[in-house]
Amino acid sequence: MKKSNSFGTKQIAITAILLAICLVSQIFKSLSVFITGPVINACLLLTASLVNLPCAIALSVITPITAYFIAASPVMMVVPGIIPFIMLGNVVLVVAMNYLLKGNLNDLRLDGKFSLMFIIKAVLCALLKAAFMGVTISLWLLPTFIPEQLPLRQKMPVFQYTFSVVQFITACIGFIYFAIILVAIKSYAKRNS
């Protein structure tokens, strides 16, 4: 009997569906980052857990590019060099989840109660992403590459908050969505097995 391929049609289909969800959520980026950010983070985490790490990394790279074309923020227009660092921040999140948390996903209970270890590791993964983006984007990239004479420079504290604290919050909310969806999938699979 032929062994199942770790990257087959099912994995491509799941990744494509999660990418489509990311694209639709990016349309609402202008309303609030707290709509788009958690949805994208949840999709990245779902890809890492349901498909594999390479697909999650691919989605981590694709979503900042699509965000640029769908709803680029003014800071992205002025400093497009921010895009690779957003990609890397996403990669930090999925790699951290893959190595710190993926082993605990079988412990998710169907009653919705999560272990303290799951919560601590999820917060740590979110913190790693926020710390990476905070250091690279908020503390180095934006202060270095937004010219002093631009009016956008006056919004530097807002941008720095967005690419550090807001990244942490949206990643934490993304973990909540991720856990709820994973519990629902487990529950569905259990009922239909």
Side-chain angles (χ1 to χ4, degrees):
M1 195 167 164
K2 189 177 177 185
K3 196 171 183 180
S4 160
N5 187 344
S6 65
F7 188 75
T9 306
K10 182 180 176 183
Q11 289 78 16
I12 293 169
I14 293 170
T15 305
I17 290 167
L18 292 168
L19 175 59
I21 292 168
C22 289
L23 294 175
V24 169
S25 77
Q26 288 174 342
I27 295 168
F28 300 101
K29 185 179 175 188
S30 60
L31 295 176
S32 173
V33 70
F34 292 105
I35 295 171
T36 304
V39 171
I40 289 175
N41 285 312
C43 288
L44 295 175
L45 296 167
L46 285 166
T47 305
S49 66
L50 299 176
V51 183
N52 57 34
L53 186 58
C55 286
I57 290 171
L59 209 60
S60 297
V61 170
I62 293 167
T63 53
I65 296 169
T66 58
Y68 181 79
F69 290 110
I70 292 172
S73 64
V75 73
M76 285 177 109
M77 300 300 272
V78 172
V79 187
I82 201 170
I83 295 170
F85 292 99
I86 296 171
M87 293 173 181
L88 289 170
N90 290 340
V91 170
V92 166
L93 178 70
V94 297
V95 168
M97 191 284 282
N98 191 68
Y99 290 106
L100 293 177
L101 193 62
K102 196 167 183 179
N104 295 89
L105 296 180
N106 292 331
D107 299 336
L108 286 176
R109 294 172 31 186
L110 298 181
D111 63 3
K113 293 182 181 172
F114 307 109
S115 71
L116 181 60
M117 192 52 66
F118 176 87
I119 295 168
I120 290 169
K121 287 181 178 182
V123 169
L124 179 61
C125 291
L127 189 59
L128 288 170
K129 175 184 180 174
F132 173 81
M133 292 178 77
V135 169
T136 59
I137 296 172
S138 296
L139 297 179
W140 172 70
L141 190 74
L142 296 180
T144 304
F145 292 101
I146 294 180
E148 290 284 341
Q149 65 275 15
L150 279 183
L152 208 57
R153 185 75 178 202
Q154 295 167 356
K155 294 185 178 184
M156 184 69 70
V158 174
F159 299 141
Q160 290 175 319
Y161 181 77
T162 298
F163 289 103
S164 56
V165 176
V166 170
Q167 293 301 317
F168 174 70
I169 294 167
T170 58
C172 286
I173 297 169
F175 264 108
I176 293 168
Y177 293 172
F178 162 72
I180 291 168
I181 293 166
L182 219 50
V183 166
I185 291 170
K186 279 179 70 172
S187 177
Y188 177 80
K190 185 177 182 180
R191 279 196 315 267
N192 294 313
S193 61

